Amino acid sequence: MMGNKKALVLLNMGGPRTKDELKMFLTNMFNDKNIITVKSNLLRKMIAFFITTSRLNSAWENYEKIGGYSPINKITEDLVDKLNDSFDDMFVTQAMRYTPPFASSAVEQIKEKGIKDVILLPLYPQYSTTTTKSSVEDFIEVSNNEFNIEVIDPFYKNDTFNDVIVKELTSTVEDVSEYNLIFSAHGLPQKIVDAGDVYEKHINEHVQILSEKLKQKGFNFKSINLAYQSKVGPMKWLEPSLDNMLKNFKEQKVLIYPIAFIIDNSETDFELSIEYKEIADEIGISDYKVCKCVNDSVEFQETIKELLSK
């Protein structure tokens, strides 16, 4: 019976497909109380308006360099379709935080199917108030106590998931011993970490797990490092920054892995692959490569099935 099925909702930030959606993305993101943590809603709205208006045109120019849209939408749709094809008793959909499809459309779909049991899978391997908490809270608020909701925990320790990452790392370059590996994580203001966010701790543990797995499998990179990308504004953010880390590798080869992302997006396709590549070229790095995220790969589908069976 249809009503006995469960629903799996993949949660992520979303990404723009047009300049109007970019404006929506920025407005929604900077109005998020988990991102801009000031107490006053009015002040947050003013900050969001200021950041959005000052950044919109330059941000859109960046999107135009990767085709005028974020790849996150198409890849997530493909992942949802593949999961729906492989499950008999599970309806799979997605809810993005800052651009459509929003949680409201996922809630409508699930209600139409008469499903009561909902599993939320935040597509953030490590926990942060700015990502996991924000997306989960948003879905719960919109669903208005209609469902029995279960949330899957951060999965950066999952073995199958980490095997996919190792496979990507070791198949992107021919000889790993020639490359300095940098795990690049999305940055976070230090004050959010100081307020108790466990993101930095999870990132450090994840780098440790992957370093050990590489060693066990006999893959010895020239060096393994962690850096943080995407800093904005004058505030202190997590360090070291990726641009500073790259300075260590003049005339050497570098491989970047976007450790905080599951699905490729503007931070991987524009920021890492274009913007930081320009910095690497200026420094004189002899070869600069960026790995793909796990995306909708068969192995990541297997990871999701494992997470559901626990």
Side-chain angles (χ1 to χ4, degrees):
M1 248 180 79
M2 209 48 149
N4 292 336
K5 285 178 81 173
K6 288 186 174 185
L8 171 66
V9 186
L10 307 181
L11 304 179
N12 213 331
M13 282 193 169
R17 285 158 278 226
T18 62
K19 191 173 182 179
D20 282 345
E21 277 198 2
L22 175 59
K23 187 178 181 184
M24 179 197 289
F25 180 87
L26 294 172
T27 303
N28 287 339
M29 181 164 70
F30 293 114
N31 270 297
D32 183 342
K33 64 182 184 297
N34 289 292
I35 302 277
I36 304 291
T37 54
V38 295
K39 294 276 190 285
S40 155
N41 288 340
L42 180 62
L43 180 57
R44 191 181 305 111
K45 270 195 167 135
M46 287 165 67
I47 293 169
F49 177 77
F50 173 74
I51 298 176
T52 301
T53 8
S54 61
R55 274 223 229 147
L56 182 62
N57 288 335
S58 62
W60 181 245
E61 283 171 19
N62 298 344
Y63 276 94
E64 287 183 321
K65 289 174 186 163
I66 57 168
Y69 58 87
S70 169
I72 198 170
N73 298 296
K74 176 74 172 75
I75 297 168
T76 308
E77 284 160 18
D78 288 348
L79 178 58
V80 167
D81 288 346
K82 287 172 180 177
L83 291 169
N84 271 317
D85 286 345
S86 66
F87 284 125
D88 293 327
D89 56 349
M90 183 89 68
F91 168 65
V92 186
T93 187
Q94 57 162 314
M96 295 294 193
R97 185 68 183 90
Y98 306 126
T99 54
F102 293 120
S104 51
S105 66
V107 166
E108 281 311 306
Q109 286 177 310
I110 296 164
K111 277 161 70 173
E112 276 169 21
K113 292 185 177 295
I115 297 172
K116 284 292 177 197
D117 295 325
V118 174
I119 302 167
L120 302 181
L121 173 55
L123 291 183
Y124 315 110
Q126 311 87 11
Y127 183 93
S128 173
T129 53
T130 59
T131 51
T132 322
K133 179 173 180 274
S134 176
S135 287
V136 170
E137 273 181 357
D138 177 55
F139 187 90
I140 288 172
E141 194 177 311
V142 171
S143 65
N144 200 19
N145 296 324
E146 291 275 343
F147 312 120
N148 310 313
I149 293 177
E150 179 191 335
V151 183
I152 291 179
D153 292 332
F155 50 89
Y156 65 93
K157 292 180 180 175
N158 179 279
D159 213 40
T160 306
F161 172 59
N162 287 320
D163 279 340
V164 196
I165 296 176
V166 166
K167 181 183 167 191
E168 177 62 29
L169 290 170
T170 54
S171 60
T172 303
V173 295
E174 274 189 22
D175 183 356
V176 299
S177 67
E178 292 180 2
Y179 282 81
N180 298 283
L181 171 60
I182 304 175
F183 289 110
S184 182
H186 196 285
L188 209 57
Q190 186 65 47
K191 71 167 197 174
I192 289 179
V193 175
D194 293 344
D197 194 300
V198 295
Y199 176 71
E200 184 184 22
K201 178 178 180 283
H202 283 189
I203 290 283
N204 283 328
E205 286 178 2
H206 199 187
V207 168
Q208 190 60 40
I209 289 164
L210 288 165
S211 302
E212 282 167 16
K213 194 175 263 291
L214 283 163
K215 203 165 136 188
Q216 281 163 10
K217 290 178 182 273
F219 294 113
N220 297 304
F221 280 89
K222 192 170 182 186
S223 69
I224 297 180
N225 315 269
L226 167 63
Y228 292 92
Q229 65 186 88
S230 315
K231 180 184 188 299
V232 286
M235 230 186 289
K236 181 169 164 43
W237 279 49
L238 288 174
E239 290 176 340
S241 66
L242 180 55
D243 38 358
N244 279 336
M245 177 60 73
L246 289 170
K247 290 174 187 168
N248 298 319
F249 302 116
K250 184 178 166 63
E251 293 173 7
Q252 296 184 52
K253 296 178 177 181
V254 166
L255 178 66
I256 306 277
Y257 187 82
I259 193 170
F261 296 115
I262 291 296
I263 308 275
D264 281 313
N265 57 77
S266 64
E267 268 100 348
T268 58
D269 283 24
F270 170 73
E271 204 177 328
L272 287 178
S273 300
I274 297 174
E275 206 169 32
Y276 282 104
K277 183 176 190 314
E278 286 171 7
I279 294 169
D281 290 347
E282 280 167 28
I283 289 166
I285 286 169
S286 62
D287 189 24
Y288 173 92
K289 283 188 161 62
V290 180
C291 292
K292 301 303 280 177
C293 293
V294 297
N295 289 325
D296 58 344
S297 62
V298 172
E299 294 94 338
F300 185 57
Q301 294 171 54
E302 287 307 316
T303 302
I304 292 176
K305 287 171 189 168
E306 266 187 35
L307 296 172
L308 291 172
S309 66
K310 285 185 176 167

